[in-house]
């Protein structure tokens, strides 16, 4: 029971945090590379942009809630791991907290006033084992009203700071900068430069009133151009002439909207707690769609790419990704499924297990740990461990129901059986069929799955 949560609170909402909490515990016990946040494949194989977030980097250190340990903001994951391993505490959805240093300071003070159990839900590990092997772990999340209010206040304060900064930039008449494309000089207000680049060079980063930290934004773009990097596809070229020709011919005079490095420069990303500009915009689009007829005639489906278990190769069809893994790496998922008679959810757990082991630089065949993922993959190939699986009890575990990568499209390609193989009578052997008109209700009740 989570203290402070009124009766009737959303169990599903709380359950999602428990799922992540349990996954954090299981991964923390597995080695040095704990998965403290959900993983995601990049949208493009070569995308190296920073993770989403609009938190401004600062010099204020992140402090431990229980001891004197502190780290600089860039080493946030080190502190989260310290809290988990040393103090058995997990903070849910840290990336959605607007001001992590102030959040930690607040709870550090509250934990000095009242016991930890007054605020956190308690999860007992190994609950069916001996008492001496049981441990209590704690989850701090926004299901607790006090935590939710704190997060909202920090978000509101951050929004006020951003709007105040934006107003200063609007009123600033001392702006001075050269155009990135023609070196024309602009003084006065920032809008003159932004409008010039949009009008003369077809390069628009948005309306001036939607942008904040404008000078830093332009510095970031200028640094990329100085490094001979295209602002849209982010490829690097050998000289400025080649780069300019590329951006002009490919119509790449725009920024990559999927690069979350730019999120902090747009006010829309500060408006709602835990929502990016894409989510806010999609809500607006849904509201407009409600007023229109439901016409799906021009719908175009976007293919979803499945990523190989062993490399960054992506394929848009089931046959292509399976053929690649078999030819390039010698991994035959079809053969394993047939030999081990794997049901759908067992395939899901096997894929998630292999993903987790490789992410943690561990050979899934012999459980040997390596310094990096590349070393582990070389070992798996050299030792012939690609098709060598451990005992089923090692990977057929409930924790592997949950994806290692949230957007793992490979899981969507799995099925109970191949199309066309096996007849219908075999598929339905384990499915009871009950006629509508049945006279023996007592027998039905005794054998019902609801019982």
């Amino acid at each position: 029971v989570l203290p402070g949560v009124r009766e009737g609170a959303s169990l599903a909402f709380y359950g999602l945090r428990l799922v992540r909490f349990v996954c954090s515990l299981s991964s923390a016990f597995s080695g040095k590379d704990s998965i403290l946040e959900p993983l995601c494949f990049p949208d493009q194989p070569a995308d190296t942009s920073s993770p989403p977030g609009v938190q401004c980097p600062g010099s204020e250190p992140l402090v431990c809630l229980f001891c004197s340990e502190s780290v600089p903001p860039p080493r946030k994951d080190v502190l989260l791991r310290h809290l988990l391993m040393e103090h058995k505490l997990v903070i849910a959805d840290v990336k959605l907290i607007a001001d992590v240093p102030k959040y930690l300071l607040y709870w550090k003070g509250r934990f000095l006033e009242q016991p930890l159990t007054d605020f956190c839900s308690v999860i007992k590990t190994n609950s069916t084992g001996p008492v001496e092997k049981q441990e209590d772990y704690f989850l701090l999340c926004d299901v607790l009203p006090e935590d939710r209010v704190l997060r909202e206040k920090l978000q509101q304060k951050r929004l006020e700071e951003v709007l105040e900064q934006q107003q200063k930039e609007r009123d600033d008449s001392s702006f001075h900068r050269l155009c990135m494309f023609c070196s024309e000089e602009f003084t006065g207000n920032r809008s003159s430069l932004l409008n010039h680049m949009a009008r003369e060079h077809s390069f628009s980063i948005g309306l001036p009133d939607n942008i904040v930290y404008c000078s830093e934004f332009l510095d970031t773009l200028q640094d990329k151009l100085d490094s001979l990097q295209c602002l849209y596809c982010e490829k690097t070229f050998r000289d400025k002439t080649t780069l300019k020709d590329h951006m002009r011919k490919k119509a790449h005079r725009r920024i990559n909207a999927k690069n979350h490095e730019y999120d902090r420069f747009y006010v829309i990303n500060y408006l709602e707690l835990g929502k990016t500009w894409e989510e806010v915009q999609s809500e607006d689009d849904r509201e407009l769609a409600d007023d229109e007829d439901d016409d799906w005639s021009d719908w175009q489906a976007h293919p979803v790419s499945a990523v190989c278990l062993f490399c960054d190769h992506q394929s848009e069809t089931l046959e292509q990704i399976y053929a690649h893994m078999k030819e390039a790496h010698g991994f035959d998922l079809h053969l394993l499924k047939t030999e081990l008679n794997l049901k759908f959810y067992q395939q899901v757990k096997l894929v998630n297990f292999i993903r987790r082991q490789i992410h943690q630089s561990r050979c899934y065949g012999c459980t040997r740990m390596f310094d990096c993922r590349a070393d582990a993959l070389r070992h798996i190939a050299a030792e012939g461990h690609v098709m060598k699986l451990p005992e089923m009890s090692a990977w057929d575990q409930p924790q592997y129901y949950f994806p290692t990568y949230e957007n793992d499209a490979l899981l969507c390609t799995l099925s109970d059986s191949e199309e066309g193989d096996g007849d219908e009578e075999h598929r339905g052997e384990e499915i009871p069929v009950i006629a509508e008109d049945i006279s023996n209700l007592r027998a039905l009740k005794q054998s019902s799955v609801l019982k």
Side-chain angles (χ1 to χ4, degrees):
V1 176
L2 181 65
V5 178
R6 65 181 183 277
E7 187 176 358
S10 172
L11 293 178
F13 183 72
Y14 181 43
L16 288 175
R17 278 147 182 79
L18 285 179
V19 165
R20 289 186 177 180
F21 175 69
V22 172
C23 288
S24 295
L25 293 186
S26 62
S27 61
F29 294 141
S30 64
K32 63 185 178 76
D33 192 6
S34 301
I35 302 175
L36 300 178
E37 291 287 349
L39 301 175
C40 263
F41 288 117
D43 295 306
Q44 298 294 333
D47 184 15
T48 57
S49 61
S50 57
V54 293
Q55 298 180 24
C56 301
S59 57
E60 191 175 356
L62 306 178
V63 298
C64 176
L65 303 177
F66 306 97
C67 66
S68 59
E69 182 79 13
S70 66
V71 299
R75 302 192 67 202
K76 180 180 66 177
D77 285 345
V78 175
L79 182 67
L80 295 179
R81 177 171 171 76
H82 167 79
L83 288 171
L84 175 62
M85 303 303 292
E86 299 298 328
H87 305 291
K88 299 179 174 57
L89 175 76
V90 171
I91 301 174
D93 295 325
V94 179
K95 65 182 179 181
L96 301 184
I97 301 173
D99 193 329
V100 177
K102 286 185 172 59
Y103 178 88
L104 295 174
L105 285 173
Y106 176 86
W107 281 115
K108 187 178 182 74
R110 293 292 283 132
F111 290 164
L112 292 174
E113 298 170 356
Q114 293 177 234
L116 183 63
T117 50
D118 286 356
F119 307 104
C120 300
S121 56
V122 182
I123 306 296
K124 189 180 293 293
T125 62
N126 197 24
S127 57
T128 59
V131 176
E132 62 273 10
K133 292 187 177 181
Q134 296 179 3
E135 290 184 293
D136 289 341
Y137 281 78
F138 305 93
L139 174 64
L140 179 62
C141 67
D142 59 357
V143 175
L144 178 71
E146 183 177 353
D147 187 87
R148 179 71 182 179
V149 170
L150 174 61
R151 292 177 186 237
E152 290 175 348
K153 284 183 177 178
L154 293 174
Q155 176 74 11
Q156 182 65 28
K157 182 173 176 58
R158 173 55 52 81
L159 177 59
E160 291 171 358
E161 292 172 351
V162 167
L163 293 177
E164 182 180 353
Q165 174 66 24
Q166 184 194 41
Q167 190 60 45
K168 287 181 181 178
E169 294 179 11
R170 282 177 177 174
D171 300 335
D172 182 22
S173 59
S174 61
F175 181 85
H176 179 269
R177 199 175 189 97
L178 299 178
C179 174
M180 294 185 292
F181 301 102
C182 67
S183 299
E184 184 176 343
E185 187 175 4
F186 290 86
T187 57
N189 191 275
R190 60 180 186 163
S191 60
S192 58
L193 171 59
L194 298 181
N195 291 333
H196 163 80
M197 290 194 297
R199 183 177 59 253
E200 301 297 332
H201 305 290
S202 301
F203 178 78
S204 176
I205 56 177
L207 297 175
D209 285 346
N210 295 338
I211 294 172
V212 68
Y213 306 118
C214 183
S215 294
E216 188 178 342
F217 193 3
L218 295 173
D219 286 340
T220 301
L221 298 177
Q222 186 66 60
D223 288 343
K224 288 182 179 292
L225 291 177
D226 291 343
S227 302
L228 304 179
Q229 187 178 41
C230 174
L231 298 178
Y232 180 71
C233 68
E234 301 182 342
K235 293 180 180 178
T236 302
F237 295 84
R238 65 177 180 271
D239 54 52
K240 285 189 176 182
T241 303
T242 307
L243 172 61
K244 287 181 178 180
D245 288 343
H246 163 81
M247 293 179 68
R248 178 176 55 83
K249 292 177 180 178
K250 296 291 186 179
H252 281 189
R253 285 191 172 180
R254 49 190 169 135
I255 64 172
N256 184 357
K258 294 185 179 297
N259 186 339
H260 296 289
E261 180 184 0
Y262 304 129
D263 284 359
R264 63 181 299 261
F265 302 118
Y266 291 91
V267 176
I268 191 173
N269 289 302
Y270 298 89
L271 296 182
E272 293 190 54
L273 181 64
K275 290 185 179 179
T276 63
W277 66 270
E278 293 168 307
E279 294 169 319
V280 174
Q281 193 175 62
S282 65
E283 288 181 355
D284 294 340
D285 292 343
R286 284 198 296 271
E287 290 175 3
L288 291 173
D290 290 341
D291 299 330
E292 300 174 357
D293 294 331
D294 293 334
D295 183 9
W296 297 81
S297 59
D298 60 347
W299 171 260
Q300 292 183 350
H302 296 281
V304 178
S305 295
V307 181
C308 173
L309 287 170
F310 306 97
C311 68
D312 295 331
H313 176 82
Q314 297 186 13
S315 298
E316 294 179 359
T317 67
L318 168 68
E319 293 77 13
Q320 289 176 351
I321 193 64
Y322 279 29
H324 164 79
M325 290 193 293
K326 184 175 181 180
E327 295 169 6
H329 307 288
F331 183 81
D332 191 341
L333 188 56
H334 284 304
L335 181 61
L336 289 174
K337 181 174 120 179
T338 303
E339 289 182 347
L340 301 177
N341 193 26
L342 299 180
K343 304 298 183 185
F344 172 75
Y345 286 110
Q346 289 177 314
Q347 297 173 60
V348 168
K349 287 187 278 190
L350 178 59
V351 168
N352 290 330
F353 168 78
I354 294 175
R355 292 272 197 220
R356 178 77 62 87
Q357 302 306 303
I358 292 178
H359 170 78
Q360 294 177 336
S361 305
R362 179 188 290 109
C363 172
Y364 56 83
C366 64
T367 70
R368 181 179 168 186
M369 288 289 298
F370 294 86
D371 293 332
C372 64
R373 182 174 180 266
D375 290 344
L377 291 172
R378 278 193 290 269
H379 162 83
I380 291 172
E383 299 296 327
H385 289 179
V386 175
M387 293 290 287
K388 178 184 177 182
L389 297 180
E391 294 293 329
M392 187 175 288
S393 58
W395 55 265
D396 195 5
Q397 299 287 337
Q399 61 177 303
Y400 297 115
Y401 277 126
F402 309 110
T404 301
Y405 294 87
E406 286 189 328
N407 56 343
D408 191 352
L410 180 60
L411 298 174
C412 301
T413 68
L414 304 176
S415 62
D416 270 323
S417 59
E418 298 293 335
E419 291 184 7
D421 67 342
D423 35 75
E424 292 296 329
E425 61 183 79
H426 289 301
R427 294 184 184 180
E429 283 179 357
E430 299 179 1
I431 304 176
V433 179
I434 302 173
E436 282 188 38
D437 184 14
I438 203 163
S439 56
N440 192 348
L441 293 178
R442 179 173 296 178
L444 174 60
K445 290 178 180 178
Q446 292 297 323
S447 60
S448 172
V449 295
L450 298 180
K451 184 177 184 300

